[in-house]
Amino acid sequence: MVALYVGTKKGAWIFRGDGARKKWKLEGPHLLGQLVSHIVADPRDPKSVLMAAKPGHLGPTVYRSVDGGKTFKEAAAPPAFPKGHKQSVKVVFWLTPGHASRPGEWYAGTGPHGIFRSRDGGATWESVDGFNAHPDRVKWFGEGEQGPPDDPNTHSIIVDPRDANHLYAGFSIGGFFESPDGGASWKPLNKGVAADFLPPGEYEYGHDPHCVRISPAKPDRLYQQNHCGMYRLDRPGDAWERIGRNMPKEIGDIGFPIQPHPTDPDTAWVFPMDGTQVWPRTSPGGRPAVYVTRNAGKTWKRQDKGFPKSQAWFTVKRQCFAADAEKNVGLYLGTTSGQIWMSRNEGEKWEPMASHLPPITSLESGPRT
Amino acid sequence: MTVVHVPSPLFSYTGNRAEVKATGATLAEILNDLDRQFPGFKFRVIDEHDRIRSTILFYIGGRVTRNLLDFVGAADEVHIIAALSGG
């Protein structure tokens, strides 16, 4: 059974599909009224589901379920900076399950920038001081409230499936960084990435990655949707290639999410949005479309069958584009207008799956149950 | 025992009670006792550096305070106020 975990500005829902993904059972709302930045099921244990949440008036926290998402209990020790740190956690923004060899290990990214680790399935969280107390932190990210309108946040925490200690993380704003030692040390990994909002020049850090995903089929390959374009990086190389240059000029290569294919490393999908002038961040021209590459970014094909043809101004946030692991890969898009769109055939045709939800803040496909 | 008035966003901790009782000579001690009774309560209103969250106000005996070390008198009641917001 395919499961889809949906976080919104007003709570979370879980969709469970039949084998054909034609009928969906809707569960929820969970934590109605709370901002759910991310809800993620554990691929190592589908009974375990974590949710990063924040009621509008109260401090941020993590909820966890050990019964597959039926009930949720608050973490006993949510992510919090240690004494002496100047900042306090305003939002838990991102959740990543740890390596397959380390059951119960999870990572969380916060706003302001912070990385936290749990070793007990999300019940208690510890500061990853190798990042949170890094001496270059102020140099990398500034000292105050610099950042995007929704506050700076840490996202795209990636654990290399071949090495539990090899981590990546994205920082809006700050750039994309890598740790070879489980978070003890970090270095920027932004060569080749544009930062058009800064004075002309090459920068080691200070970029704005919106979403970075590792190819499950080829973990040496990373795809990045940045504030300034779409990129691919093949390790051990360290220079990103701007594959968005091959997008149609009238569409551009701006957006939030990017989604690699689960088994084909040359295939990835993007959802371009308008990045002109004041950055509307809506479907260009009011005509939503996904673009797919089947050759690692050399060419792109428009996939808009099923989407409205005009006056449809979708915004899809960075955690809101998911793929399942079925044979004909299913794709799922969540919009800030509370709609979920799905495709059962790798983007060839789209149809609305749900409407009238609150603004969608995250959407993740879970392990088969 | 001090009577503490709790706003609705915190009802999930207090078992839907708008009024609870706590022991303490200062606001900080009152909050520590509330956290003992209702685990997780304190972090919802106080951050990890013991700063009152920007969306929370405390009143002691009808007087607003942002100082956790303020004394709570025997006859004082404590009100916890959550900011109103739209949307």
Side-chain angles (χ1 to χ4, degrees):
Chain A
M1 184 184 282
V2 176
L4 205 59
Y5 297 82
V6 182
T8 79
K9 202 176 171 184
K10 304 279 185 179
W13 281 262
I14 300 172
F15 290 76
R16 299 193 195 278
D18 62 1
R21 295 167 295 182
K22 297 231 171 173
K23 291 180 183 168
W24 295 88
K25 187 180 150 208
L26 180 56
E27 297 172 5
H30 296 285
L31 302 182
L32 181 64
Q34 298 207 27
L35 166 63
V36 176
S37 299
H38 214 182
I39 170 169
V40 180
D42 190 342
R44 302 158 299 183
D45 173 14
K47 293 280 184 197
S48 173
V49 182
L50 260 57
M51 177 159 41
K54 181 185 190 315
H57 302 78
L58 307 173
T61 192
V62 170
Y63 291 87
R64 65 195 187 102
S65 172
V66 294
D67 56 12
K70 290 186 179 68
T71 59
F72 285 87
K73 186 179 176 189
E74 187 181 352
F81 289 115
K83 298 291 180 198
H85 196 284
K86 286 182 179 172
Q87 295 171 304
S88 53
V89 174
K90 289 184 183 172
V91 64
V92 182
F93 186 76
W94 187 276
L95 295 165
T96 293
H99 194 265
S101 66
R102 295 181 181 174
E105 188 166 284
W106 284 77
Y107 289 92
T110 63
H113 291 318
I115 300 177
F116 297 84
R117 181 190 290 116
S118 172
R119 300 182 196 271
D120 55 11
T124 61
W125 294 82
E126 63 190 23
S127 168
V128 175
D129 284 339
F131 174 77
N132 295 340
H134 197 286
D136 288 339
R137 187 188 164 87
V138 172
K139 185 176 83 174
W140 290 338
F141 307 118
E143 206 156 3
E145 299 299 318
Q146 296 146 302
D150 290 342
D151 288 330
N153 52 58
T154 297
H155 59 84
S156 302
I157 300 174
I158 295 168
V159 180
D160 188 332
R162 302 158 302 181
D163 178 357
N165 287 322
H166 185 205
L167 308 177
Y168 298 102
F171 304 94
S172 284
I173 290 176
F176 191 64
F177 285 64
E178 176 182 32
S179 170
D181 48 17
S185 65
W186 293 84
K187 64 175 182 183
L189 188 61
N190 300 295
K191 195 183 290 182
V193 178
D196 300 337
F197 45 88
L198 295 174
E202 290 283 324
Y203 293 91
E204 188 184 4
Y205 49 84
H207 304 74
D208 188 10
H210 282 174
C211 181
V212 185
R213 300 275 191 181
I214 194 168
S215 165
K218 186 178 182 180
D220 274 331
R221 175 162 289 172
L222 296 161
Y223 286 100
Q224 175 178 175
Q225 173 67 71
N226 190 279
H227 187 83
C228 303
M230 300 160 183
Y231 299 84
R232 191 195 74 240
L233 173 62
D234 289 319
R235 308 307 309 276
D238 64 354
W240 295 84
E241 180 182 341
R242 188 164 184 174
I243 55 178
R245 294 226 184 272
N246 305 320
M247 285 282 291
K249 291 284 177 288
E250 69 276 15
I251 298 298
D253 66 344
I254 304 305
F256 282 116
I258 192 162
Q259 181 59 51
H261 191 286
T263 57
D264 176 6
D266 290 341
T267 294
W269 292 271
V270 291
F271 186 80
M273 284 174 273
D274 187 342
T276 58
Q277 294 189 353
V278 296
W279 289 75
R281 297 174 173 86
T282 51
S283 303
R287 294 184 293 277
V290 164
Y291 280 76
V292 62
T293 177
R294 298 283 185 185
N295 49 23
K298 290 188 185 70
T299 59
W300 295 91
K301 179 189 164 193
R302 184 177 175 94
Q303 294 182 315
D304 62 0
K305 196 172 176 187
F307 284 131
K309 297 297 178 198
S310 66
Q311 292 291 356
W313 307 93
F314 291 7
T315 297
V316 176
K317 293 199 163 184
R318 72 190 85 205
Q319 296 103 313
C320 295
F321 194 161
D324 65 30
E326 301 299 295
K327 189 177 173 196
N328 289 316
V329 175
L331 299 175
Y332 308 87
L333 278 174
T335 72
T336 57
S337 44
Q339 270 199 316
I340 300 174
W341 287 80
M342 75 164 294
S343 168
R344 292 184 196 85
N345 44 26
E346 307 204 352
E348 290 302 320
K349 187 179 176 192
W350 292 85
E351 62 186 71
M353 179 178 145
S355 299
H356 315 307
L357 290 169
I360 295 172
T361 48
S362 82
L363 189 158
E364 296 281 359
S365 164
R368 239 175 183 282
T369 54
Chain B
M1 296 285 273
T2 299
V3 171
V4 181
H5 298 272
V6 176
S8 63
L10 288 161
F11 282 6
S12 63
Y13 295 87
T14 61
N16 284 321
R17 280 184 287 166
E19 187 179 304
V20 296
K21 290 184 176 176
T23 303
T26 64
L27 185 54
E29 290 179 10
I30 293 279
L31 287 170
N32 285 338
D33 189 44
L34 288 171
D35 201 56
R36 182 189 58 76
Q37 296 181 62
F38 313 114
F41 185 102
K42 183 178 168 184
F43 192 62
R44 304 266 66 79
V45 294
I46 303 290
D47 74 15
E48 56 265 59
H49 305 306
D50 292 333
R51 293 184 293 232
I52 299 169
R53 295 194 184 278
S54 60
T55 49
I56 297 293
L57 275 181
F58 291 100
Y59 283 78
I60 301 173
R63 303 177 312 278
V64 70
T65 179
R66 295 201 66 81
N67 184 356
L68 293 178
L69 299 179
D70 271 1
F71 286 103
V72 179
D76 288 337
E77 293 191 355
V78 171
H79 284 79
I80 304 174
I81 309 296
L84 306 181
S85 58

